[in-house]
């Protein structure tokens, strides 16, 4: 039997396990547990440990309790040491192998999600000579609440601390700290765009991949107002001492209660959610996140960082399906007008969209406003900076889904179609499509080129991933139906 893999980090040795041709190390801490006096602090470097540390089980997660049924199964793991990483490396990689590294940031709307998911296993990347590091970070109010007397954007600071750990320690696993690609999906994709514009993250990665990016850029005013609502529901002062005086579970309950009125208003008027966004996420604080990411990218932030960015075709289209009976009675132009789309843009959008019927058009509008327009805006503001766009167009055969929905593409990027829960949303997914998408990710991480032309303002090309393979695979003006919204 092969010996369990051992890595020698600057903080101490970690012992993982071998799974086929992959050396797996789970739950390696990169900062001290954020509890007690460190609960609302910036991440604090870890003290060295003596001897060997076991790295054969997922570490504690910032997500607490049963997450319920989610598109991506992301279990919660109890415990205090929630700032940890999972590393997947080729089992035969020597410390001086200088392999490229992919750092993955999970999604979850900045309030949920977990790195302890088999969907994020990096076995296929290890097979292809790429080291994968899946990171954790504080979420919800503990991670992103604006608290008087505490550093802002603690969740983003955690992500940066994890990237610093990669810079300092990845050679022990065979990785090259100069060849790091930071990638993430949904809130993780939004985090990628934030990190590209954060001075604190400068130099920690040399390429980026934003999958279905849900951008986070909460104003200080909105974040402060939300913190006051959380404090009122928790019965404490809206400062660090007040929030620290009550246990975490009470703050989580207060957070949910404070979010509820916002979500109720959003359900009664989708325009609220589209215009204002959720009040919990990365804050434009003038420090970690000095400006809105799109504004900073427009002014040249990370113009030297190659970026792959894209979305599924129907991220949230299915959200309106439950209201099909009512929506069939609503004239689509009238509904779009109520959602704030003015007449000229409304006509252009209806002329360009491939969707038909109120349910599909309104659900698609939500998708296009929240995610797909961010993709096109990012490409435009980056100008000549190396940017590759893609679209994931494969529609799930599962009757309750039937479209290329949010999260459906993740197991294709990881080439992990046999992971638990994939069949629930994807049925029997096409392996050749996974090979194409995973191959593109490997090529980008290794060679800084995913294999199709970059986006430019004239041709506006994007790779379209579908099965059977779309013809042509690269489309001109591939995001044309979103253009009226940008």
């Amino acid at each position: 039997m092969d010996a369990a893999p051992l890595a020698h980090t600057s903080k101490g040795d970690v012992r993982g396990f071998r799974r086929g041709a992959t050396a797996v190390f789970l739950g390696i801490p990169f900062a001290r547990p954020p509890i007690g006096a460190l609960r609302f602090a910036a991440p604090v470097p870890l003290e060295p440990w003596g001897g060997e540390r076991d790295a054969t089980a997922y570490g504690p997660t910032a997500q607490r309790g049963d997450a319920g049924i989610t598109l991506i199964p992301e279990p919660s793991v109890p415990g205090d040491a929630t700032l940890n990483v999972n590393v997947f490396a080729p089992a035969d990689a020597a410390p001086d192998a200088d392999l490229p590294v992919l750092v993955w940031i999970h999604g979850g709307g900045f309030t949920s999600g977990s790195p302890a998911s088999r969907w994020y296993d990096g076995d296929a990347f290890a097979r292809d000579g790429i080291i994968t590091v899946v990171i954790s970070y504080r979420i919800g109010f503990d991670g992103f609440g604006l608290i008087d007397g505490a550093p802002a954007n603690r969740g983003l600071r955690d992500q940066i601390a994890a990237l610093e750990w990669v810079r300092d320690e990845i050679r022990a696993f065979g990785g090259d700290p100069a060849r790091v690609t930071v990638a993430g999906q949904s809130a993780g994709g939004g985090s990628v765009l934030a990190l590209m514009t954060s001075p604190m993250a400068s130099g920690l990665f040399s390429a980026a991949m934003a999958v279905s990016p849900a951008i986070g850029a909460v104003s200080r005013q909105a974040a402060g107002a939300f913190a006051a609502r959380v404090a009122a529901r928790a019965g404490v002062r809206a400062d660090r001492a007040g929030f620290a005086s009550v246990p975490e579970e009470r703050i989580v309950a207060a957070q949910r209660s404070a979010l509820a009125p916002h979500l109720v208003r959003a359900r009664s008027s989708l325009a609220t959610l589209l215009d204002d966004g959720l009040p919990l996420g990365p804050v434009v604080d003038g420090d970690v996140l000095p400006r809105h990411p799109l504004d900073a990218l427009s002014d040249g932030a990370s113009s030297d960082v190659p970026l792959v960015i894209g979305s599924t075709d129907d991220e949230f289209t299915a959200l309106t399906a439950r209201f099909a009976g009512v929506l069939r009675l609503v004239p689509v132009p009238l509904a779009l007008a109520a959602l704030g789309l003015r007449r000229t843009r409304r006509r252009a959008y209806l002329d360009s969209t491939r969707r038909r019927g109120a349910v599909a058009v309104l659900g698609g509008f939500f998708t296009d406003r929240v995610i797909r327009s961010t993709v096109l805006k990012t490409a435009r503001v980056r100008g000549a900076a190396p940017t590759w766009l893609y679209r994931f167009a494969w529609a799930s055969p599962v009757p309750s889904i039937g479209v290329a929905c949010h999260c459906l593409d993740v197991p294709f990027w990881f080439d992990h179609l046999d992971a638990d829960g994939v069949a629930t949303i994807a049925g029997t997914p096409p392996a050749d499509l996974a090979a194409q998408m995973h191959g593109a990710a490997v090529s980008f991480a290794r060679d800084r080129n995913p294999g199709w032309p970059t986006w430019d303002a004239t041709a506006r090309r994007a790779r379209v991933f579908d099965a059977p393979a779309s013809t042509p695979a690269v489309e001109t003006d591939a995001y044309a139906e979103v253009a009226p919204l940008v």
Side-chain angles (χ1 to χ4, degrees):
M1 177 180 289
D2 295 321
L6 180 69
H8 306 286
T9 77
S10 66
K11 302 299 184 183
D13 294 348
V14 287
R15 177 78 68 177
F17 64 95
R18 181 164 180 158
R19 183 168 60 211
T22 306
V24 181
F25 302 85
L26 302 177
I28 305 172
F30 64 83
R32 291 173 60 185
I35 59 173
L38 303 182
R39 181 174 171 196
F40 297 114
V44 176
L46 200 67
E47 296 295 325
W49 58 82
E52 219 174 75
R53 191 181 191 103
D54 179 77
T56 60
Y58 288 116
T61 61
Q63 176 178 271
R64 300 302 198 188
D66 184 2
I69 298 174
T70 55
L71 290 173
I72 299 178
E74 293 181 314
S76 299
V77 180
D80 294 331
T82 56
L83 301 182
N84 57 74
V85 299
N86 305 320
V87 180
F88 304 84
D92 58 355
D96 60 352
D98 285 339
L99 298 176
V101 181
L102 179 79
V103 176
W104 182 259
I105 306 174
H106 70 77
F110 301 107
T111 61
S112 63
S114 158
S117 174
R118 291 299 305 274
W119 281 36
Y120 307 144
D121 282 0
D123 298 69
F125 283 109
R127 175 196 68 203
D128 296 323
I130 310 292
I131 293 176
T132 307
V133 182
V134 183
I135 71 173
S136 64
Y137 58 99
R138 280 171 283 183
I139 56 177
F141 197 78
D142 270 39
F144 295 98
L146 187 64
I147 301 174
D148 185 25
N153 286 315
R154 295 170 297 281
L156 277 180
R157 293 173 186 267
D158 294 342
Q159 295 172 8
I160 293 167
L163 286 167
E164 291 173 337
W165 180 92
V166 170
R167 177 197 62 199
D168 298 339
E169 309 292 357
I170 203 61
R171 286 197 183 278
F173 304 86
D176 184 350
R179 302 173 71 192
V180 174
T181 299
V182 64
Q185 184 260 352
S186 194
S191 295
V192 167
L193 297 182
L195 291 168
M196 290 178 70
T197 66
S198 173
M200 291 179 60
S202 179
L204 295 176
F205 53 90
S206 56
M209 185 173 179
V211 177
S212 302
I215 207 159
V218 183
S219 70
R220 290 191 71 94
Q221 180 179 1
F226 182 74
R229 294 202 299 273
V230 173
R233 284 160 173 78
V236 299
R237 297 193 317 272
D239 58 21
R240 184 171 182 171
F243 288 119
S245 68
V246 293
E248 180 185 6
E249 57 268 22
R250 187 165 159 187
I251 294 297
V252 172
Q255 167 194 307
R256 290 172 178 163
S257 176
L259 279 171
H262 185 91
L263 296 175
V264 167
R265 289 196 303 272
R267 282 194 289 269
S268 63
S269 173
L270 191 58
T272 301
L273 187 58
L274 293 175
D275 292 340
D276 300 341
L278 291 173
L280 194 55
V283 178
V284 180
D285 63 350
D287 181 18
V288 182
L289 192 63
R291 305 171 61 195
H292 191 291
L294 289 177
D295 292 337
L297 291 172
S298 180
D299 284 346
S302 288
S303 60
D304 60 335
V305 175
L307 171 67
V308 169
I309 185 169
S311 70
T312 69
D313 272 3
D314 291 284
E315 302 275 359
F316 307 120
T317 299
L319 289 178
T320 51
R322 70 185 68 179
F323 308 113
V326 174
L327 290 177
R328 288 192 182 99
L329 305 176
V330 178
V332 173
L334 183 63
L336 290 175
L339 293 173
L341 194 59
R342 296 186 176 181
R343 185 174 183 180
T344 302
R345 287 179 178 256
R346 185 166 69 244
R347 285 180 174 175
Y349 181 69
L350 288 173
D351 287 343
S352 65
T353 185
R354 60 191 154 75
R355 307 177 184 99
R356 293 294 178 264
V359 173
V361 172
L362 296 178
F365 177 69
F366 184 56
T367 289
D368 294 342
R369 276 286 305 273
V370 175
I371 301 288
R372 300 181 77 216
S373 61
T374 296
V375 173
L376 186 55
K377 286 176 183 177
T378 300
R380 286 185 176 181
V381 300
R382 274 176 56 87
T387 307
W388 291 264
L389 267 62
Y390 73 85
R391 281 177 35 214
F392 181 82
W394 182 72
S396 168
V398 176
S400 61
I401 297 176
V403 294
C405 69
H406 197 55
C407 302
L408 182 63
D409 54 336
V410 173
F412 290 86
W413 291 117
F414 279 81
D415 195 11
H416 200 2
L417 301 182
D418 58 349
D420 289 344
V422 172
T424 303
I425 69 169
T428 304
D432 59 339
L433 180 58
Q436 293 172 25
M437 295 175 62
H438 176 73
V442 168
S443 178
F444 184 64
R446 183 186 59 219
D447 306 321
R448 299 298 184 246
N449 188 334
W452 65 89
T454 55
W455 189 92
D456 65 76
T458 302
R460 302 178 294 277
R461 290 168 293 202
R463 176 69 161 90
V464 179
F465 290 108
D466 203 350
S470 57
T471 304
V474 176
E475 289 188 8
T476 299
D477 218 6
Y479 274 82
E481 64 181 337
V482 185
L485 305 180
V486 177

